[in-house]
Structures are given as C-alpha cells and as structure tokens.
Amino acid sequence: MKFTPHAYKQHSPQKIPKQEQGLSMLIALMMGLVLMAGVTGLLLRQLMGRKLGASESYQQMAETAALNGFNRILSELNNNDNTAYKGYLLTLNHHQGDTEIPGSEEWGWNPANQTNFPLREPCTDRSRLPDAAPANSETSNRPYVELTERTTSQREDGKGNIQLQYRLRGYTTTATATNNGTGEGRFQIEGLVVRAGDAAGTGYLARTLLLRSLYVNSIVAGEGDWAVLAGQTLSLGDTKILQNSGQTGEGKVLLNVSTTNQYSTSTGCSSSNLLDDVNASLTNNNLEGKIVPIMGQGLPTSILWNQGFTQDKVVGSSEVRVWSFDDSGGLDECGGIACSRDVNSATASNRNDLEEDAGSVIRLSFDELCEGTGADCHIYVEHINLTKSRLLIETSADRPVVLHLEYPNTSTTAPSQSGITGSINLESGSQICGVNVGSSTCNGKPEQLVILSSTPKPTSIRSCAATPQNERYVLDFDGNSLPHATVHLIPGIVKTGSSTTQLNGLIWADVICTDAGPFSLITDTSGGRSVVRDLNEQWNWESQNFPGYGQMVTRGVRGTGLDTFRRW
C-alpha cells in the first residue's frame, strides 16, 4: 500500500513585545541587586562581627592587664623581705583628688612629698618604691608599666605587636598613721592594650579601670620587733638589751615623739642621732639599730592586763584593800613593815602576820591575795620603801598578779599616815619578786608579776630628776632588787641606781632613766623563750586582737568588696 506523506506546516518563532523585554531585564537587574546586597550585608556582618570580637578581645585583655597590674603592686607591697619593705605605702594616699577642687590631690607615694606625708615610724626607709610609683622626685605623674615584652605580640592581627600595660591611677586609704595603720585601702588600676610604638596613654586599643578594696592591717610581726623599752623621755646611757647567756638580746627601743621634723633631714635617722635622742652613749653598740621613733603612739592601755579583773579585798568585806610596805620605820601609825587598809578607811592595820624570818621576808601568799580566787589578782599599793627586806608575792600561770601603783578609784579615802609617797623605792639590799606557792626562790616569771599605773598623767614636769620621795608613780630600783617583772607605768618614771642593775622583763613608762649605772634588760627566759612570747600566752593577747607594740609592718590582707571594672 502506498502511503502519501503528511505535509507539515513550519511555524516561525513568536515575537515578544518590546515592553515585556524591558520588564524582564528590570527583574534580572533587581535580582542581581538583591543578591549583591545580601552578599554585601553578609560580608559586612562578618566584618562587623570580627571587629566586635576583636574589640571584646582587646577589652578582656585590658581587664587582664589591670588585674595583673594590681597583683604585681600588691605583691611588692606585701613582700616579706624586710630589706625591700614597701608596706608603709599602704598608709599614704596617692591620687589626683577632685579636679574641680584645686589642691585636693595627695601624692603620698611621690618621693618629693615625704615631708607632707609623715609615717607612723618616721625613720622608715622610703627609698624603695614599686614600679607603678613615680620614680622621678619632681613629678607626680604615674608611669605606665609594661606587662609584656615588645618583641612578641599578645594577639596576631597582621599589624604591629600588641602589648599590655598597667598604671596605678590612684590609691586612697583610711589606714593612716593616726590609727595605727588599720583600715581600708581602695586601689584604682588602669589596664591598657596598645600597639608597640604608640604614645603612652593615647594610642590604646582598649582601656579599663579596676576598682579594688583591701583591708589594711598593721602588726608587730616578729618577737624581736616588740618594744622592750618604750617611753616619751628616755635616758639610757650604757643600757644593754641582753639574753640570759650574755649575748645581745632581741627587742626594740621605742621613742614616742610628737613631731617628725628632726627626722626629715638626711642625717636625722643616723645611728648617732638616734642614740642622742634617747640620751644613750654614742659608743653603745648594743642599742645601735634598735631605736625606733614612733609618731604620736603613746603606751598601750591597761586593758592588756585583764583576765577577769579580780580585785584584792579585805577579808570578809566587799571593800578593795590598799597596801603599804616600809622597813625603814616610816609606817609608825600602824607600827609594822606591812600595813593594809580598805579604800574607805584612813587608818591602816599592822600585818605582822605576813612576816617571816624576823621581818626580813614579807610573804603575800596565794590564799591571802584575792582570797585565793580569780583568773588574775589585782592588788593596790600606795607606798613601798624597802632597804633590806624581801617582798615575796606568790603567783602562778593560773593566777598572775598585777600590782597597781595607784588607787582603785578617785573616791579612795586619803591615808592618815604621813609620808605615803605613791611610789616604789627598792634599795640594793631589798627585793620584790614573784615566787611559787610556799617557795622563797624567785620563779623567774616576769609575765606573772606586772607593775602597773594607768591614772591620768600628772600635770607636773616629769623628768629624771624625780625621786620616789617627791613624785608619785616613780619606780626606783637598784641592784637585784627587782629581778623579774613587767613594768607598765602609763604615767610613771622608772629609774635605776648606781649599782650594776638587772631586770628580766620589759619596761613601758612615760620616763625611763637607766643611765645612773650599768643596767641590763634581759628579754628571754632561762628556757630560751622570749619574754614577749610568754606575755602573749599568759595574757591571751591574741584573743584581744592586740596587734602588738613595737616596730610594725603593714599588709593588705584581703578584699572588702567586689572588683569593679569601668570602660571608657
């Protein structure tokens, strides 16, 4: 069969209108624009995120720099090496003050301002300063201190090396010399991130300010730093501080001063000048290096000698008892060596029942004093004048004795006996010492026998010319008449005689005159312990938060608030 092929008709392409061709192009261009904007936005977002990340990274580095800078400063101030001591700076303000108040700045860390910022101990070596303190004595500008080396970078960003710096912007404190260096210190530490070669303080990448508070505390750190001789007027001559072995003993000589002008010169704190200030011989090598002037400190309070404050009273009465002892026949009214009365009676009674060995020994027994009770025993004396007798006071670690050279209160009745001196005079043939119960041998425990006066200071001039016969609160002893005792006469004068005299203990008094003859102060015990340590343990000073009395060190010990960072 023959098929005839179909005939196919060829159609030409449909022609698009011109107006539609323009619309397609517009849509294509708009799509391209949208795609370009999206890509650009994504790129910008990535760039912005990177920039913000870098900025935050720089800021964190600045905070790290501030923290590290603070730690470095505190480490220098708390350095335990006494040859590099800088803790005194914690008691001095160092800040620009209020910019709107001219003259409110206080640059205490500036070496040029030493005279305007006195220390509690004016002879402290102020030549040592931390890196963050101005080394130039003519400017108060605080230096920027490098934390990192310039040869390496803390962050690689394809540009110059990035370095960390810190600066002490300011320091304020309430722990000043007037309150024994105890209070709060507030630091302002600036941390910076800079590029190597940038101008200090201007071309930084990030900056932060760290605010940190510390509790500042001052204590007598070592046993050898305690004052074993202390007063406002000292005349020491050839006085020596020794051990029982005869070697040089530990302890400082504190001179309470009311002005530091004499120590502001280049030679004011020289050994010769300090020896002259305490009227010691210029050849006294024993005291060299032990003399410490103290500004406005004064003597410790009598609260140190209180473990219950049990007062000695008349047997069977609630009245406090007052004692007198005189073996020269001066107590003719009561007719004995030992006499006592209560505070409301002017007449004293003879206590010859306390005499032993025909009056050569007077024993105040454990049961007699404070009726054998109490954690301590406080007895009051208004007169002691011994030339040949021994006054033995029975003491123990469970009940030490405080001998008050004063009346128990201002309403005490005046004695009818004439010649009551209010002082103690012990000649070389006599003796006062603490003994164990039933013993006649001194127990060698100066921490168990304290001689104290704490009444207001007399208005009369106090000097070494005073004697027990013409001044109150005078302790005059000679030879071995007071072998072991702690002497604390807040108003009082301590004098030694012309004989070779020795005391195992310490002396804190308004006036100390030990230049009449050779005098030795023994500051350790026969067991090798220091008197200061035994006093601390006996009177439990740690529980009283007593920081000690002597040459102090100041430390920033802990934070008093949260760290605060400020950005600007």
Side-chain angles (χ1 to χ4, degrees):
M1 176 181 274
K2 187 177 180 181
F3 294 94
T4 303
H6 292 287
Y8 293 94
K9 186 177 180 180
Q10 185 176 0
H11 298 282
S12 59
Q14 186 176 3
K15 191 174 181 179
I16 302 174
K18 289 184 178 181
Q19 62 271 21
E20 293 184 7
Q21 292 179 6
L23 183 61
S24 299
M25 184 175 291
L26 179 60
I27 292 173
L29 288 175
M30 290 181 64
M31 289 294 295
L33 183 61
V34 170
L35 290 174
M36 185 177 294
V39 171
T40 302
L42 182 60
L43 178 60
L44 290 175
R45 182 176 179 181
Q46 293 292 332
L47 292 175
M48 184 61 69
R50 182 177 179 182
K51 184 176 181 180
L52 290 175
S55 176
E56 185 62 28
S57 175
Y58 292 146
Q59 194 64 42
Q60 291 178 3
M61 294 170 68
E63 293 177 2
T64 300
L67 280 172
N68 286 341
F70 169 78
N71 289 334
R72 284 196 179 190
I73 294 173
L74 187 61
S75 177
E76 288 189 77
L77 298 180
N78 282 349
N79 193 336
N80 286 328
D81 183 2
N82 57 8
T83 63
Y85 175 63
K86 305 182 183 73
Y88 66 90
L89 294 172
L90 290 166
T91 65
L92 301 177
N93 287 320
H94 185 72
H95 58 80
Q96 64 184 4
D98 189 338
T99 56
E100 297 181 357
I101 304 177
S104 63
E105 65 274 5
E106 294 184 273
W107 301 116
W109 293 23
N110 185 346
N113 295 332
Q114 292 185 10
T115 56
N116 297 327
F117 295 87
L119 297 176
R120 175 183 179 273
E121 300 172 16
C123 285
T124 300
D125 184 356
R126 302 176 75 159
S127 64
R128 306 181 183 93
L129 295 172
D131 293 338
N136 190 338
S137 62
E138 298 178 357
T139 178
S140 59
N141 292 331
R142 292 87 72 206
Y144 291 90
V145 182
E146 299 282 353
L147 273 169
T148 56
E149 298 179 357
R150 290 185 174 268
T151 56
T152 59
S153 181
Q154 296 304 298
R155 187 174 185 274
E156 295 296 339
D157 59 358
K159 299 180 181 180
N161 286 352
I162 296 176
Q163 308 298 320
L164 304 184
Q165 296 177 345
Y166 72 93
R167 181 172 74 149
L168 173 65
R169 191 172 182 85
Y171 174 74
T172 58
T173 183
T174 59
T176 60
T178 56
N179 61 2
N180 281 338
T182 299
E184 182 186 49
R186 295 181 60 85
F187 283 91
Q188 294 184 2
I189 308 296
E190 189 177 325
L192 292 96
V193 180
V194 301
R195 290 198 186 277
D198 287 347
T202 58
Y204 55 84
L205 298 173
R207 182 172 65 167
T208 191
L209 186 67
L210 168 64
L211 306 180
R212 168 71 71 89
S213 298
L214 284 180
Y215 177 67
V216 179
N217 190 28
S218 299
I219 63 171
V220 181
E223 295 175 9
D225 298 320
W226 278 73
V228 292
L229 288 169
Q232 183 175 352
T233 302
L234 305 182
S235 188
L236 303 184
D238 290 316
T239 294
K240 291 179 171 55
I241 298 174
L242 301 175
Q243 300 176 0
N244 274 286
S245 63
Q247 297 179 336
T248 300
E250 291 188 334
K252 300 294 185 181
V253 178
L254 257 63
L255 175 63
N256 291 315
V257 298
S258 56
T259 177
T260 62
N261 293 338
Q262 66 197 91
Y263 304 110
S264 60
T265 64
S266 58
T267 59
C269 294
S270 65
S271 295
S272 58
N273 279 355
L274 292 177
L275 287 169
D276 187 61
D277 287 344
V278 298
N279 296 292
S281 171
L282 295 181
T283 60
N284 190 337
N285 298 328
N286 179 272
L287 296 185
E288 189 173 351
K290 295 180 178 295
I291 302 169
V292 181
I294 298 292
M295 175 66 179
Q297 173 67 9
L299 298 174
T301 65
S302 60
I303 195 67
L304 296 178
W305 318 108
N306 186 351
Q307 289 186 326
F309 201 69
T310 305
Q311 293 180 307
D312 179 49
K313 297 180 179 180
V314 178
V315 177
S317 171
S318 61
E319 301 298 335
V320 177
R321 180 164 50 182
V322 181
W323 294 88
S324 295
F325 304 93
D326 194 327
D327 63 2
S328 67
L331 302 178
D332 53 357
E333 186 177 86
C334 77
I337 298 175
C339 302
S340 68
R341 64 186 183 90
D342 69 51
V343 295
N344 296 323
S345 173
T347 304
S349 302
N350 188 339
R351 293 303 309 275
N352 55 18
D353 56 311
L354 305 179
E355 297 180 12
E356 299 177 0
D357 297 334
S360 62
V361 173
I362 307 296
R363 180 181 297 274
L364 297 180
S365 68
F366 187 90
D367 294 332
E368 174 69 31
L369 297 177
C370 296
E371 298 183 288
T373 63
D376 55 13
C377 182
H378 293 256
I379 67 175
Y380 295 84
V381 298
E382 58 185 351
H383 174 82
I384 297 180
N385 179 38
L386 299 178
T387 61
K388 57 191 176 188
S389 303
R390 299 182 69 207
L391 175 59
L392 307 182
I393 304 175
E394 293 186 350
T395 68
S396 71
D398 295 329
R399 201 191 70 177
V401 172
V402 180
L403 191 155
H404 290 255
L405 189 58
E406 60 192 354
Y407 289 130
N409 51 59
T410 56
S411 62
T412 299
T413 301
S416 56
Q417 170 70 56
S418 61
I420 297 298
T421 61
S423 294
I424 298 176
N425 180 58
L426 304 174
E427 297 187 11
S428 58
S430 65
Q431 190 174 75
I432 293 179
C433 73
V435 297
N436 296 331
V437 176
S439 174
S440 296
T441 302
C442 298
N443 57 20
K445 300 290 185 181
E447 72 277 9
Q448 295 180 13
L449 179 60
V450 179
I451 301 176
L452 172 69
S453 69
S454 58
T455 59
K457 185 176 179 178
T459 56
S460 59
I461 297 176
R462 313 287 281 172
S463 70
C464 291
T467 67
Q469 292 75 35
N470 62 19
E471 285 272 8
R472 294 183 62 83
Y473 316 120
V474 177
L475 168 61
D476 192 342
F477 64 102
D478 195 11
N480 195 40
S481 58
L482 188 65
H484 313 280
T486 298
V487 180
H488 186 189
L489 302 182
I490 297 176
I493 300 174
V494 176
K495 300 183 65 175
T496 56
S498 58
S499 303
T500 299
T501 305
Q502 180 174 296
L503 170 66
N504 177 209
L506 58 79
I507 302 174
W508 300 338
D510 185 34
V511 181
I512 301 176
C513 312
T514 56
D515 57 344
F519 175 69
S520 298
L521 182 69
I522 311 300
T523 59
D524 69 344
T525 65
S526 57
R529 292 164 55 93
S530 70
V531 170
V532 167
R533 177 182 294 185
D534 288 348
L535 282 167
N536 268 281
E537 294 180 359
Q538 176 66 65
W539 294 96
N540 201 19
W541 285 342
E542 185 175 352
S543 67
Q544 301 182 35
N545 295 320
F546 181 46
Y549 185 58
Q551 189 170 28
M552 286 186 161
V553 295
T554 303
R555 293 286 183 261
V557 293
R558 64 177 179 271
T560 58
L562 298 176
D563 289 350
T564 303
F565 288 99
R566 294 180 181 175
R567 301 182 182 185
W568 84 103

